[in-house]
């Protein structure tokens, strides 16, 4: 009888322990499930290092929200397209941002995470016939550029400023990952691109810089866009992403070589080249009248001047959650 009572007591204790353990697991899982989840899209190339650093250093982890980083192949235009449902927040250059905001009223600017006047570089192949001292020689040549990219906007502005007739060149629209190969094969006479392509192209024998976007009165801000529904419904998650980008920017300022090593390993190229490219950009989270609003307004006008249907009613201050 005593043995039966003892067995019963042990059984009851085990049931209580297992029930408690089960409750703990369920509660823990429920706690994870209750976290807001937000998906951030960016490219695996220069101009997106803030996101690489944030992910590698764990700035997206251990928060009250779940931040999922998603690499989108291609360039900023591809990340912009992913904002239609594939991602909640999307990183891109100024031209895709302006075009996105022009196309829909369902997106807004979250912040700017970097900028640089010399963001875009135009590199010619050997014996292209392009004379840097006579830029009219660009006319009649074939130019490789990604359609709708920030670089295309900068290139159009550069051509207008230098009195190069945009109708007298052959436009070859190429994804960033095939531009250097097209230049090396002679399929194009010049490529216009943001890093790392110009730096890669300059490693080819005989290539040379024809021009850059510097001096055109545009800082070419790197923009993080988000859908309005996500911005309003997941405000804490959006703020967590911005905070993580700020931490990444601080790390990049204080640890140039380590940051370059992290990004180079992710991109898959030389640390020295990555360090050079990273140092051409000011990595800083914000949104100001002088750097961002004026630059976006200039980009919009350049696109209008070159035949694109960009609304004159775009108000970048109203469309930004971070006010200047």
């Amino acid at each position: 009888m005593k043995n039966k009572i003892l067995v019963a007591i042990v059984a009851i204790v085990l049931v209580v322990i297992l029930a408690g353990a089960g409750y703990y697991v369920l509660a823990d899982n429920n706690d994870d499930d209750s976290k807001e989840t937000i998906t951030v899209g960016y490219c695996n190339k220069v101009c997106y290092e803030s996101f690489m650093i944030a992910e590698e250093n764990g700035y997206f982890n251990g928060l009250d929200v779940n931040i999922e980083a998603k690499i989108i192949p291609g360039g900023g235009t591809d990340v912009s397209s992913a904002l239609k449902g594939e991602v909640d927040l999307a990183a891109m250059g100024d031209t895709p941002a302006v075009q996105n905001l022009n196309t829909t009223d369902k997106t807004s600017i979250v912040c700017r995470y970097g900028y640089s006047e010399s963001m875009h570089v135009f590199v010619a192949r050997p014996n292209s016939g392009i004379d840097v001292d006579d830029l009219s020689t660009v006319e009649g040549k074939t130019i490789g550029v990604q359609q709708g990219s920030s670089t295309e906007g900068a290139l159009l502005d550069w051509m207008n400023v230098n009195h190069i007739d945009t109708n007298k060149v052959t436009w070859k629209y190429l994804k960033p990952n095939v531009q250097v190969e097209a230049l090396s094969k002679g399929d194009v006479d010049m490529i216009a691109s943001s890093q790392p392509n110009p730096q890669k192209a300059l490693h080819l024998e005989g290539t040379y810089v024809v021009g850059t976007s510097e001096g055109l009165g545009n800082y070419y801000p790197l923009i993080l866009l988000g859908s309005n529904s996500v911005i309003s419904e997941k405000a804490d998650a959006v703020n967590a992403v911005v905070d993580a980008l700020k931490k990444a920017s601080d790390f990049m300022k204080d640890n140039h070589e380590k940051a370059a090593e992290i990004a180079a390993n992710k991109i898959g190229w030389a640390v020295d080249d990555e360090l050079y490219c990273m140092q051409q950009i000011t990595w800083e989270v914000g949104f100001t009248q002088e750097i961002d609003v004026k630059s976006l307004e200039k980009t919009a006008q350049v696109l209008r001047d070159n035949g694109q249907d960009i609304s004159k009613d775009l108000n970048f201050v109203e469309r930004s959650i971070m006010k200047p």
Side-chain angles (χ1 to χ4, degrees):
M1 179 61 108
K2 289 182 179 179
N3 288 339
K4 288 182 179 180
I5 292 172
L6 183 60
V7 170
I9 291 171
V10 171
I12 291 170
V13 170
L14 286 173
V15 168
V16 171
I17 292 173
L18 291 173
Y23 173 80
Y24 176 80
V25 171
L26 287 172
D28 187 58
N29 288 339
N30 288 336
D31 184 58
D32 286 342
D33 293 340
S34 67
K35 286 185 178 181
E36 286 184 334
T37 296
I38 194 164
T39 307
V40 185
Y42 65 93
C43 295
N44 192 38
K45 53 177 284 193
V46 179
C47 298
Y48 301 89
E49 280 95 341
S50 296
F51 299 88
M52 301 176 195
I53 300 299
E55 186 177 19
E56 179 68 21
N57 286 359
Y59 301 149
F60 287 156
N61 302 328
L63 305 172
D64 293 332
V65 299
N66 294 319
I67 301 175
E68 295 180 356
K70 185 168 186 177
I71 295 176
I72 306 296
T77 55
D78 301 291
V79 188
S80 176
S81 296
L83 195 54
K84 294 176 181 177
E86 191 176 350
V87 298
D88 298 317
L89 303 179
M92 65 197 74
D94 56 303
T95 294
V98 168
Q99 291 171 328
N100 185 297
L101 295 167
N102 180 68
T103 303
T104 177
D105 60 359
K106 296 181 179 179
T107 58
S108 294
I109 298 168
V110 175
C111 67
R112 167 258 300 153
Y113 63 91
Y115 62 91
S116 171
E117 275 195 274
S118 56
M119 183 86 67
H120 310 286
V121 184
F122 318 132
V123 180
R125 66 175 176 81
N127 305 313
S128 66
I130 298 175
D131 184 350
V132 295
D133 295 320
D134 180 9
L135 293 178
S136 66
T137 55
V138 172
E139 294 177 2
K141 303 301 188 292
T142 300
I143 301 176
V145 65
Q146 184 178 25
Q147 187 173 24
S149 65
S150 178
T151 302
E152 184 186 23
L155 176 62
L156 290 170
D157 194 16
W158 177 80
M159 292 176 74
N160 293 337
V161 167
N162 288 286
H163 310 292
I164 301 167
D165 192 336
T166 58
N167 294 313
K168 291 184 179 179
V169 299
T170 300
W171 296 91
K172 191 159 189 176
Y173 294 119
L174 302 171
K175 293 287 188 181
N177 62 326
V178 299
Q179 290 175 354
V180 176
E181 182 181 5
L183 189 71
S184 68
K185 289 182 176 179
D187 295 338
V188 296
D189 298 303
M190 183 177 88
I191 62 167
S193 192
S194 58
Q195 298 292 2
N197 283 343
Q199 192 70 1
K200 288 180 177 179
L202 290 171
H203 285 314
L204 300 174
E205 185 176 357
T207 54
Y208 57 99
V209 174
V210 176
T212 75
S213 57
E214 189 168 3
L216 297 177
N218 196 324
Y219 287 101
Y220 303 100
L222 298 169
I223 301 294
L224 182 65
L225 283 188
S227 69
N228 292 340
S229 59
V230 168
I231 289 170
S232 62
E233 295 169 10
K234 299 182 179 181
D236 289 343
V238 173
N239 289 334
V241 172
V242 173
D243 288 343
L245 292 177
K246 289 179 179 178
K247 290 179 181 179
S249 296
D250 291 340
F251 180 85
M252 294 160 77
K253 289 175 185 175
D254 297 335
N255 305 274
H256 297 294
E257 293 186 1
K258 181 59 178 178
E261 182 181 343
I262 291 171
N265 288 337
K266 286 185 173 292
I267 294 172
W269 76 319
V271 175
D272 288 346
D273 284 333
E274 174 62 26
L275 181 61
Y276 170 79
C277 293
M278 286 180 68
Q279 289 176 334
Q280 307 308 304
I281 298 173
T282 299
W283 301 100
E284 183 177 270
V285 173
F287 193 77
T288 70
Q289 183 74 29
E290 189 64 31
I291 292 172
D292 307 295
V293 177
K294 286 186 177 180
S295 294
L296 293 172
E297 288 175 346
K298 179 172 177 55
T299 297
Q301 189 57 50
V302 168
L303 297 177
R304 290 187 202 103
D305 292 343
N306 286 275
Q308 294 195 29
D309 185 19
I310 303 295
S311 172
K312 291 186 177 181
D313 294 329
L314 282 177
N315 188 318
F316 298 110
V317 174
E318 288 184 358
R319 296 291 295 273
S320 174
I321 64 172
M322 186 178 285
K323 301 304 179 187

